[in-house]
Structure formats: structure tokens, C-alpha cells
């Protein structure tokens, strides 16, 4: 399963590009939190949506200063505790919160390490989901092959490489590029593990 690693090209991204990369991953994960919130009647998807909107607006220079620390506190208040829920959905929901808090942090102080961890978070979330749905009769070797060749993993790796391609086109990505990335990341409401509210 080690084949599914974050792209080494993340090192080429500057601060703004790193923030946009993490914002796109968070956007892609958001339906996971939304579905969990609805089913478990916990948290508030709108809190995450608002924080993410503020990130995109700031990246696109569509708003003035944003207090990202305040947004972090608001998101932190709706993070689910896996020990309090007896359902798988709490884990993708938690990943969404971690990715978003990391992205908010990127807006304050960008870090290649944080971007790498956000990339890994999404990939590992897919691997965990695939382990869950895999045939219990598979050998370890077959399980690894099932995960590494699964379309969800392939789509995620392709998505992340495409993100980097688009971000590297300009040192400071313009609003049109960022809007395109945001739409691509939103993926018509389908998350990295292939679920949506519809």
C-alpha cells in the first residue's frame, strides 16, 4: 500500500499554491463530514462550509482580512470524537476536520509538511475505506492489489497530480484558475471515497 504516496512535486509549490492545494483536498472531503453529520445528528456542516468559503475568497482576493484562528476554533468545536460514535463514518468526518484545520493553518503559515500530510490523509482515508469493503477472504497480497488498483485510489492520485499541474502554471494562481480547481475538487458533491448526500 506504500505505492500511494503524496507527490514529490509538492515541494515545488509556494505558500499560496500550498494553501490552495490543501483547500482543494478539504473541498473534496467535505461530503464525508456532511453525510456523517446528517446520519449521526452531530456537528454542523455549515461551520466547515463557511470556513472553506472564507479560505477560497481569501485565496481569490475576493475579501479583506480573515481571522483564520477564529475559524479554526469554530471548526474545532464540531470535530467528532471517534470514541463517541460506533460507526465507520466518524473517521472520514474526522479526516475532513483535520484537513480543514490544516488548511486554515496553511493560510497563516504555509508548510510543505502540512500539505504532504493533507495529501496522505485523503489517500489513507480511501485505503481504510477499501479495506472495509474488501472481501474478507482476500490474502494480504490480494488486498494490497485490490487497494492499489482500485479506481478510487487512481482517481485521487490523478486528482492530486492535476491539482499540482494547474497550480504550477502561475506563481500566484488567479481567481479563474482557483475557481476551476474548486469546481474540480467539489466533484459534483462526490467525495474522495465516492459518497455524496444525494
Amino acid at each position: 500500500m506504500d505505492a500511494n504516496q503524496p507527490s514529490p512535486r509538492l515541494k515545488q509549490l509556494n505558500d499560496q499554491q500550498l494553501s490552495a492545494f490543501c483547500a482543494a483536498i478539504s473541498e473534496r472531503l467535505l461530503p464525508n463530514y456532511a453525510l456523517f453529520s446528517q446520519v449521526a445528528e452531530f456537528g454542523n456542516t455549515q461551520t466547515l462550509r463557511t470556513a472553506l468559503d472564507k479560505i477560497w475568497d481569501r485565496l481569490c482576493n475576493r475579501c479583506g482580512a480573515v481571522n483564520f484562528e477564529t475559524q479554526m476554533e469554530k471548526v474545532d468545536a464540531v470535530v467528532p470524537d471517534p470514541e463517541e460514535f460506533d460507526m465507520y463514518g466518524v473517521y472520514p468526518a474526522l479526516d475532513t476536520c483535520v484537513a480543514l484545520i490544516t488548511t486554515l493553518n496553511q493560510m497563516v503559515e504555509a508548510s510543505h509538511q502540512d500539505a504532504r500530510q493533507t495529501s496522505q490523509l485523503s489517500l489513507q482515508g480511501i485505503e481504510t475505506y477499501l479495506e472495509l469493503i474488501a472481501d474478507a477472504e482476500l490474502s494480504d497480497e490480494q488486498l494490497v492489489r485490490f487497494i492499489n488498483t482500485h479506481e478510487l485510489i487512481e482517481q485521487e492520485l490523478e486528482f492530486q497530480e492535476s491539482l499540482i499541474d494547474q497550480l504550477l502554471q502561475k506563481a500566484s494562481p488567479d481567481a479563474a484558475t482557483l475557481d476551476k480547481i474548486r469546481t474540480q475538487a467539489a466533484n459534483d458533491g462526490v467525495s474522495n471515497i465516492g459518497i455524496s448526500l444525494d
Side-chain angles (χ1 to χ4, degrees):
M1 279 174 270
D2 291 330
N4 306 316
Q5 292 294 320
S7 172
R9 295 196 301 147
L10 278 171
K11 291 176 186 167
Q12 297 173 31
L13 302 184
N14 64 29
D15 288 4
Q16 189 193 5
Q17 292 165 338
L18 287 169
S19 297
F21 178 86
C22 291
I25 300 282
S26 299
E27 188 73 53
R28 194 167 169 84
L29 295 180
L30 194 61
N32 294 336
Y33 184 94
L35 185 63
F36 166 76
S37 178
Q38 191 179 69
V39 172
E41 297 182 348
F42 170 89
N44 188 337
T45 304
Q46 191 53 50
T47 300
L48 275 65
R49 178 72 270 164
T50 299
L52 199 45
D53 287 347
K54 286 180 184 292
I55 290 167
W56 288 118
D57 285 346
R58 190 70 209 94
L59 285 168
C60 293
N61 288 318
R62 291 194 178 117
C63 64
V66 175
N67 188 328
F68 291 113
E69 281 88 351
T70 301
Q71 292 302 315
M72 270 186 238
E73 287 167 14
K74 288 179 178 177
V75 173
D76 206 39
V78 294
V79 175
D81 178 353
E83 292 185 7
E84 291 180 13
F85 298 93
D86 187 22
M87 63 172 81
Y88 158 75
V90 68
Y91 296 102
L94 177 61
D95 286 351
T96 307
C97 294
V98 172
L100 183 52
I101 289 169
T102 302
T103 307
L104 288 161
N105 207 40
Q106 289 280 64
M107 299 298 289
V108 179
E109 186 178 0
S111 140
H112 286 94
Q113 183 60 30
D114 282 352
R116 186 178 163 77
Q117 284 173 348
T118 304
S119 163
Q120 188 79 61
L121 185 78
S122 186
L123 287 162
Q124 283 175 343
I126 298 168
E127 288 180 5
T128 303
Y129 171 70
L130 293 175
E131 281 174 23
L132 186 76
I133 65 166
D135 186 336
E137 302 296 312
L138 293 181
S139 67
D140 287 351
E141 194 178 313
Q142 287 170 326
L143 179 62
V144 169
R145 192 178 306 118
F146 170 73
I147 289 171
N148 287 342
T149 59
H150 198 280
E151 64 178 354
L152 287 175
I153 284 287
E154 290 175 353
Q155 285 166 3
E156 182 65 18
L157 290 168
E158 200 176 295
F159 165 68
Q160 292 194 17
E161 286 297 335
S162 168
L163 260 182
I164 296 169
D165 284 342
Q166 292 176 76
L167 289 167
L168 283 174
Q169 284 172 13
K170 293 179 182 173
S172 183
D174 58 28
T177 301
L178 292 167
D179 284 341
K180 185 180 168 196
I181 285 172
R182 181 179 184 173
T183 301
Q184 187 183 343
N187 197 30
D188 294 326
V190 180
S191 79
N192 64 331
I193 56 174
I195 67 163
S196 70
L197 278 176
D198 299 332

